mmCIF file of all heavy atoms in Angstrom:
data_model
loop_
_atom_site.group_PDB
_atom_site.id
_atom_site.type_symbol
_atom_site.label_atom_id
_atom_site.label_comp_id
_atom_site.label_asym_id
_atom_site.label_seq_id
_atom_site.Cartn_x
_atom_site.Cartn_y
_atom_site.Cartn_z
ATOM 1 N N ALA H 490 30.250 -10.290 -15.924
ATOM 2 C CA ALA H 490 30.471 -11.734 -16.052
ATOM 3 C C ALA H 490 29.155 -12.504 -15.991
ATOM 4 O O ALA H 490 28.902 -13.394 -16.812
ATOM 5 C CB ALA H 490 31.419 -12.213 -14.951
ATOM 6 N N GLN H 491 28.289 -12.160 -15.043
ATOM 7 C CA GLN H 491 27.097 -12.971 -14.804
ATOM 8 C C GLN H 491 26.106 -12.934 -15.955
ATOM 9 O O GLN H 491 25.515 -13.960 -16.304
ATOM 10 C CB GLN H 491 26.420 -12.507 -13.511
ATOM 11 C CG GLN H 491 27.206 -12.860 -12.263
ATOM 12 C CD GLN H 491 26.706 -12.142 -11.032
ATOM 13 O OE1 GLN H 491 25.681 -11.461 -11.047
ATOM 14 N NE2 GLN H 491 27.452 -12.267 -9.941
ATOM 15 N N VAL H 492 25.914 -11.763 -16.564
ATOM 16 C CA VAL H 492 24.973 -11.677 -17.684
ATOM 17 C C VAL H 492 25.423 -12.598 -18.809
ATOM 18 O O VAL H 492 24.618 -13.332 -19.405
ATOM 19 C CB VAL H 492 24.842 -10.228 -18.176
ATOM 20 C CG1 VAL H 492 24.133 -10.165 -19.519
ATOM 21 C CG2 VAL H 492 24.070 -9.390 -17.151
ATOM 22 N N GLN H 493 26.722 -12.601 -19.107
ATOM 23 C CA GLN H 493 27.213 -13.452 -20.184
ATOM 24 C C GLN H 493 27.226 -14.924 -19.785
ATOM 25 O O GLN H 493 27.047 -15.805 -20.625
ATOM 26 C CB GLN H 493 28.594 -12.970 -20.614
ATOM 27 C CG GLN H 493 28.519 -11.548 -21.169
ATOM 28 C CD GLN H 493 29.834 -11.038 -21.676
ATOM 29 O OE1 GLN H 493 30.220 -11.312 -22.802
ATOM 30 N NE2 GLN H 493 30.535 -10.297 -20.846
ATOM 31 N N GLN H 494 27.419 -15.204 -18.495
ATOM 32 C CA GLN H 494 27.281 -16.586 -18.034
ATOM 33 C C GLN H 494 25.856 -17.089 -18.251
ATOM 34 O O GLN H 494 25.650 -18.234 -18.661
ATOM 35 C CB GLN H 494 27.642 -16.686 -16.548
ATOM 36 C CG GLN H 494 29.134 -16.620 -16.258
ATOM 37 C CD GLN H 494 29.406 -16.670 -14.769
ATOM 38 O OE1 GLN H 494 29.187 -15.695 -14.050
ATOM 39 N NE2 GLN H 494 29.852 -17.814 -14.300
ATOM 40 N N LEU H 495 24.865 -16.242 -17.956
ATOM 41 C CA LEU H 495 23.478 -16.652 -18.136
ATOM 42 C C LEU H 495 23.149 -16.873 -19.614
ATOM 43 O O LEU H 495 22.376 -17.765 -19.956
ATOM 44 C CB LEU H 495 22.534 -15.607 -17.541
ATOM 45 C CG LEU H 495 22.520 -15.508 -16.016
ATOM 46 C CD1 LEU H 495 21.637 -14.353 -15.572
ATOM 47 C CD2 LEU H 495 22.043 -16.807 -15.383
ATOM 48 N N ILE H 496 23.730 -16.058 -20.485
ATOM 49 C CA ILE H 496 23.460 -16.198 -21.919
ATOM 50 C C ILE H 496 24.031 -17.509 -22.448
ATOM 51 O O ILE H 496 23.369 -18.250 -23.174
ATOM 52 C CB ILE H 496 24.047 -15.011 -22.698
ATOM 53 C CG1 ILE H 496 23.299 -13.722 -22.345
ATOM 54 C CG2 ILE H 496 23.968 -15.262 -24.212
ATOM 55 C CD1 ILE H 496 23.942 -12.469 -22.916
ATOM 56 N N HIS H 497 25.259 -17.812 -22.073
ATOM 57 C CA HIS H 497 25.974 -18.929 -22.700
ATOM 58 C C HIS H 497 26.118 -20.163 -21.815
ATOM 59 O O HIS H 497 26.414 -21.241 -22.314
ATOM 60 C CB HIS H 497 27.375 -18.469 -23.117
ATOM 61 C CG HIS H 497 27.392 -17.259 -24.002
ATOM 62 N ND1 HIS H 497 26.889 -17.274 -25.284
ATOM 63 C CD2 HIS H 497 27.828 -15.980 -23.783
ATOM 64 C CE1 HIS H 497 27.035 -16.069 -25.827
ATOM 65 N NE2 HIS H 497 27.588 -15.268 -24.943
ATOM 66 N N GLY H 498 25.917 -20.014 -20.506
ATOM 67 C CA GLY H 498 26.202 -21.105 -19.580
ATOM 68 C C GLY H 498 25.250 -22.274 -19.669
ATOM 69 O O GLY H 498 25.584 -23.376 -19.230
ATOM 70 N N GLY H 499 24.048 -22.061 -20.233
ATOM 71 C CA GLY H 499 23.119 -23.173 -20.381
ATOM 72 C C GLY H 499 23.627 -24.224 -21.336
ATOM 73 O O GLY H 499 23.288 -25.405 -21.215
ATOM 74 N N ARG H 500 24.462 -23.799 -22.296
ATOM 75 C CA ARG H 500 24.991 -24.740 -23.286
ATOM 76 C C ARG H 500 26.448 -25.097 -23.037
ATOM 77 O O ARG H 500 26.959 -26.033 -23.636
ATOM 78 C CB ARG H 500 24.841 -24.131 -24.693
ATOM 79 C CG ARG H 500 23.404 -23.945 -25.120
ATOM 80 C CD ARG H 500 23.290 -23.321 -26.506
ATOM 81 N NE ARG H 500 23.880 -21.989 -26.559
ATOM 82 C CZ ARG H 500 23.251 -20.882 -26.162
ATOM 83 N NH1 ARG H 500 22.030 -20.969 -25.668
ATOM 84 N NH2 ARG H 500 23.825 -19.708 -26.246
ATOM 85 N N ASP H 501 27.127 -24.343 -22.180
ATOM 86 C CA ASP H 501 28.549 -24.584 -21.933
ATOM 87 C C ASP H 501 28.787 -24.605 -20.432
ATOM 88 O O ASP H 501 28.867 -23.569 -19.778
ATOM 89 C CB ASP H 501 29.379 -23.485 -22.606
ATOM 90 C CG ASP H 501 30.883 -23.736 -22.520
ATOM 91 O OD1 ASP H 501 31.282 -24.689 -21.827
ATOM 92 O OD2 ASP H 501 31.654 -22.983 -23.144
ATOM 93 N N THR H 502 28.923 -25.802 -19.874
ATOM 94 C CA THR H 502 29.075 -25.934 -18.419
ATOM 95 C C THR H 502 30.379 -25.330 -17.917
ATOM 96 O O THR H 502 30.498 -25.021 -16.732
ATOM 97 C CB THR H 502 29.008 -27.412 -18.003
ATOM 98 O OG1 THR H 502 30.041 -28.140 -18.694
ATOM 99 C CG2 THR H 502 27.653 -28.009 -18.350
ATOM 100 N N ALA H 503 31.371 -25.162 -18.789
ATOM 101 C CA ALA H 503 32.656 -24.588 -18.371
ATOM 102 C C ALA H 503 32.511 -23.135 -17.936
ATOM 103 O O ALA H 503 33.409 -22.588 -17.282
ATOM 104 C CB ALA H 503 33.672 -24.684 -19.503
ATOM 105 N N LEU H 504 31.387 -22.493 -18.286
ATOM 106 C CA LEU H 504 31.193 -21.082 -17.962
ATOM 107 C C LEU H 504 30.497 -20.873 -16.619
ATOM 108 O O LEU H 504 30.232 -19.739 -16.235
ATOM 109 C CB LEU H 504 30.364 -20.407 -19.059
ATOM 110 C CG LEU H 504 30.939 -20.461 -20.471
ATOM 111 C CD1 LEU H 504 29.992 -19.761 -21.444
ATOM 112 C CD2 LEU H 504 32.317 -19.822 -20.527
#
Side-chain angles (χ1 to χ4, degrees):
Q491 290 167 7
V492 167
Q493 297 183 83
Q494 285 178 286
L495 290 175
I496 293 172
H497 305 293
R500 295 179 298 278
D501 186 353
T502 58
L504 301 179

